[in-house]
Amino acid sequence: MRLRLSAIMMTTGILLAGCDNKPAVNLGGIGTTPNPYNYMKASGLCQVGNLTPAGQNTKSATMQVRSDDGYCAIETRMSGGHPYPSFGVSPAPEHGKAFIYNYNDHTYVTYTPNASYSGQDKFRVVLIRGEKEPREYIDVTATVTAPAVPGAK
């Protein structure tokens, strides 16, 4: 009876050990500081062009991304090598969502197109250096392709 009880308790312990809550995959982190957004799925197609000057305090960027529920990201920082203290999006993309965050001395601009959308999307990122500082802008043009449907001709 004791042997059977011990076997049941050991089996239960082994099964419960498999329920340990751990992150699925660590997609990034520097040292002991994990990227708080490492759970986001990257798009199967993400090609970002270089940021190019497009006027006073304005840069432009192009990206090619697939509408497969994954994001595509642009990495930027202030000229002093630090992330922007504040930022926003105006106007927002019409066919997806933009998300901006700071991590590891960079500012990341991510764009996730709506599922199965195909076409062009545009949005403007507003980067704020500080109080009474001129704002900087990134005009983003995304070319979005829908994922291929298996068996379609």
Side-chain angles (χ1 to χ4, degrees):
M1 182 70 175
R2 286 186 185 176
L3 185 58
R4 187 181 313 176
L5 183 58
S6 294
I8 291 172
M9 289 177 60
M10 187 169 38
T11 303
T12 303
I14 291 170
L15 292 174
L16 289 177
C19 295
D20 188 16
N21 292 328
K22 296 179 183 174
V25 178
N26 186 354
L27 297 178
I30 304 300
T32 59
T33 307
N35 182 339
Y37 302 104
N38 65 357
Y39 62 87
M40 297 190 316
K41 173 187 166 193
S43 176
L45 170 66
C46 175
Q47 295 176 345
V48 178
N50 292 330
L51 292 173
T52 57
Q56 185 175 2
N57 297 328
T58 304
K59 296 178 182 175
S60 67
T62 59
M63 68 172 53
Q64 292 183 354
V65 61
R66 186 174 298 133
S67 57
D68 56 4
D69 199 31
Y71 73 89
C72 192
I74 297 170
E75 182 181 306
T76 188
R77 61 168 72 176
M78 294 191 309
S79 57
H82 297 288
Y84 289 88
S86 188
F87 34 73
V89 177
S90 181
E94 289 186 38
H95 305 286
K97 59 186 176 205
F99 178 66
I100 308 170
Y101 67 96
N102 287 335
Y103 171 68
N104 192 30
D105 278 340
H106 289 81
T107 299
Y108 293 90
V109 178
T110 66
Y111 170 72
T112 305
N114 293 338
S116 300
Y117 174 72
S118 185
Q120 198 173 72
D121 207 358
K122 294 182 179 187
F123 60 98
R124 176 173 254 198
V125 178
V126 182
L127 302 166
I128 302 168
R129 299 177 63 84
E131 188 176 341
K132 298 182 182 178
E133 294 278 336
R135 294 180 177 197
E136 296 178 17
Y137 304 93
I138 301 175
D139 291 327
V140 181
T141 302
T143 302
V144 183
T145 57
V149 178
K153 294 182 182 181

